[in-house]
């Protein structure tokens, strides 16, 4: 069993910053790609940023230049530094990880429970 636990969400004024963290734990051999998604009310969940095990990153156009994704391999943790936040960044942010289980087998995706980010104007 694998758990992804997110932290760092909250309420911030426009132009402010927040840093999200997500730690994966449990029955894990290794973690491949990790990423952050978000879902605003009435909208579909969308990719915000992703990072491979090799450190390559990918960002949604709407957050490029403002958000930075990074990871700590030793702690199976991924971070999202969010700067210059806008009201349209308001959403529930979800962590996702591609998990390789111990003893071989196929990798599988795992999701966190989500953390609310609210940006006031």
């Amino acid at each position: 069993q694998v758990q992804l636990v997110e932290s760092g969400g909250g309420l911030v004024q426009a132009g402010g910053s927040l840093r999200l963290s997500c730690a994966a734990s449990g029955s894990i051999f290794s973690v491949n790609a990790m990423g952050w998604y978000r879902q605003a009310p009435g909208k579909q969940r969308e990719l915000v940023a992703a990072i491979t095990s090799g450190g390559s990153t990918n960002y949604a156009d709407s957050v490029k230049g403002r958000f930075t994704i990074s990871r700590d391999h030793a702690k199976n943790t991924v971070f999202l530094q969010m700067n210059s936040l806008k009201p349209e960044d308001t959403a529930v942010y979800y962590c996702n990880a591609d998990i390789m289980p111990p003893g071989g087998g196929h990798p599988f995706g795992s999701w966190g429970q989500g953390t609310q980010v609210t940006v006031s104007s």
Side-chain angles (χ1 to χ4, degrees), residues 83-100:
N83 299 328
S84 302
L85 282 161
K86 304 175 181 180
E88 51 264 42
D89 294 318
T90 295
V92 178
Y93 283 69
Y94 297 90
C95 174
N96 176 268
D98 189 38
I99 306 294
M100 183 65 74

Side-chain angles (χ1 to χ4, degrees), residues 10-12 38-41 43 46 67 85-93 116-121:
L11 173 64
V12 65
R38 67 186 180 188
Q39 187 166 20
K43 295 188 176 181
E46 63 175 358
F67 291 10
L85 282 161
K86 304 175 181 180
E88 51 264 42
D89 294 318
T90 295
V92 178
Y93 283 69
Q116 177 69 47
V117 171
T118 302
V119 184
S120 63
S121 57

Side-chain angles (χ1 to χ4, degrees), residues 29-49:
F29 175 74
S30 64
V31 181
N32 298 325
M34 302 185 80
W36 290 94
Y37 291 72
R38 67 186 180 188
Q39 187 166 20
K43 295 188 176 181
Q44 289 189 330
R45 190 173 297 188
E46 63 175 358
L47 174 68
V48 176

Side-chain angles (χ1 to χ4, degrees), residues 15-104:
S17 298
L18 284 173
R19 187 177 191 239
L20 305 183
S21 300
C22 171
S25 63
S27 186
I28 297 171
F29 175 74
S30 64
V31 181
N32 298 325
M34 302 185 80
W36 290 94
Y37 291 72
R38 67 186 180 188
Q39 187 166 20
K43 295 188 176 181
Q44 289 189 330
R45 190 173 297 188
E46 63 175 358
L47 174 68
V48 176
I51 184 168
T52 67
S53 57
S56 296
T57 58
N58 181 42
Y59 295 93
D61 287 343
S62 59
V63 307
K64 283 180 181 176
R66 301 188 296 123
F67 291 10
T68 302
I69 190 170
S70 61
R71 63 189 289 177
D72 182 332
H73 286 277
K75 298 181 179 179
N76 289 331
T77 300
V78 64
F79 307 96
L80 186 68
Q81 178 66 43
M82 303 185 294
N83 299 328
S84 302
L85 282 161
K86 304 175 181 180
E88 51 264 42
D89 294 318
T90 295
V92 178
Y93 283 69
Y94 297 90
C95 174
N96 176 268
D98 189 38
I99 306 294
M100 183 65 74

